Amino acid sequence: MNLTADGTAAFQTATKNTVGSRIAIVAGGRIVSAPTVQAPITSGDVVVTSGLTEREARSLATRLDAG
């Protein structure tokens, strides 16, 4: 997922303040994932890592694309 400049600034603040905590990813008004923030995300390029299977990862990607 790639963010705009404004989104990058907001996400950097949010992730800086929540390292070690979970952060909800919402698409279509529903929580589609709640990964733990490993480090502040400052680049605007968001990567979700987890123990998902390939099928689960594809499903998450589809839900995020539909957003």
Side-chain angles (χ1 to χ4, degrees):
M1 178 169 61
N2 301 94
L3 303 172
T4 64
D6 288 341
T8 297
F11 207 64
Q12 179 176 347
T13 299
T15 57
K16 179 181 176 185
N17 294 329
T18 58
V19 172
S21 298
R22 294 174 69 171
I23 190 167
I25 299 172
V26 179
R30 302 184 90 174
I31 296 174
V32 296
S33 185
T36 301
V37 178
Q38 301 296 318
I41 298 171
T42 60
S43 68
D45 297 317
V46 180
V47 178
V48 177
T49 58
S50 69
L52 298 176
T53 65
E54 183 176 342
R55 182 177 178 188
E56 292 167 330
R58 289 184 190 277
S59 176
L60 175 59
T62 298
R63 287 182 280 166
L64 292 174
D65 285 341

